[in-house]
Amino acid sequence: MALKSLLLFSLLIASIAVPLAEAQLGGILGPLLGLLRIQGILYCTPNGNISVNATTTPVFPNALVQLQCGGNVVSTATTNGSGLFSILLDPVNFLLSTLVSGCKLVVNTPLASCNASLPSVGGLVSNLQFIGNTVAGLLNIGNLIPTGFQFNANVN
Ligand SMILES: *[C@@H]1O[C@H](CO)[C@@H](O)[C@H](O)[C@H]1NC(C)=O
Ligand SMILES: *[C@@H]1O[C@H](CO)[C@@H](O)[C@H](O)[C@H]1NC(C)=O
Ligand SMILES: *[C@@H]1O[C@H](CO)[C@@H](O)[C@H](O)[C@H]1NC(C)=O
Ligand SMILES: *[C@@H]1O[C@H](CO)[C@@H](O)[C@H](O)[C@H]1NC(C)=O
């Protein structure tokens, strides 16, 4: 009986002590901020993917990339001159599991805008995948990337 309550007591202390230590550390260093980052490069190819010969694949600049969840646009970004886009999200508002299971990237800027030989209707769609966390200073960033774009003629 005594042993059992001692065990319970130490379990209790342990469960209090860990958050306390974290809170104290946070008090000294400032808060550890979480961030979710969706990043990728869009290529000027029929499917937005990099071609096998990576060195010669042109990128798709100035394309509007939408993050859609349940059919709603929740965030947008524009690709820069290197075809790179980056969407930052506050994990307070977004669950990683929801992003992976219920959201997708949609590009409805026509491919023709980067290469006139490519379609002028339709767009690119990709699901998301989580590739891990990176810690940058006090930021803990959860990184997501497109699983791979596919051309969809019905995107508008
Ligand atoms: C990739 O492109 C380079 C430069 O144009 C060329 O030298 C090389 O043969 C290509 N490789 C393949 C596998 O097509
Ligand atoms: C696009 O953004 C990336 C990351 O910020 C940067 O390294 C790259 O130089 C940018 N490209 C252009 C053409 O601005
Ligand atoms: C434009 O797209 C066509 C069809 O995919 C391709 O053959 C051509 O090489 C592309 N041009 C450039 C400049 O990338
Ligand atoms: C683009 O790349 C993704 C991931 O590698 C692949 O699943 C998809 O089929 C590719 N799209 C096309 C049209 O090849």
Side-chain angles (χ1 to χ4, degrees):
M1 198 60 178
L3 186 64
K4 200 175 172 189
S5 49
L6 186 65
L7 191 66
L8 268 178
F9 184 66
S10 5
L11 277 177
L12 194 66
I13 291 296
S15 60
I16 291 170
V18 170
L20 258 185
E22 273 170 9
Q24 276 172 356
L25 200 64
I28 295 162
L29 298 175
L32 264 175
L33 296 172
L35 206 59
L36 292 167
R37 179 173 59 194
I38 303 171
Q39 207 166 57
I41 296 176
L42 213 54
Y43 293 93
C44 187
T45 56
N47 59 33
N49 284 348
I50 193 163
S51 65
V52 180
N53 196 341
T55 52
T56 57
T57 309
V59 297
F60 189 174
N62 303 313
L64 186 69
V65 181
Q66 301 178 336
L67 175 66
Q68 292 190 3
C69 300
N72 298 312
V73 178
V74 296
S75 190
T76 59
T78 305
T79 58
N80 75 2
S82 309
L84 189 117
F85 65 90
S86 188
I87 296 175
L88 296 176
L89 302 169
D90 187 338
V92 168
N93 302 322
F94 294 90
L95 278 176
L96 187 59
S97 55
T98 309
L99 283 169
V100 171
S101 66
C103 302
K104 59 188 177 180
L105 295 173
V106 176
V107 181
N108 55 20
T109 304
L111 279 161
S113 71
C114 70
N115 178 340
S117 312
L118 296 174
S120 55
V121 292
L124 303 167
V125 180
S126 173
N127 288 328
L128 292 167
Q129 69 185 68
F130 177 67
I131 55 162
N133 289 298
T134 42
V135 176
L138 298 176
L139 276 179
N140 183 18
I141 304 169
N143 297 291
L144 293 122
I145 59 165
T147 51
F149 284 97
Q150 280 180 324
F151 181 73
N152 184 328
N154 297 314
V155 166
N156 53 43

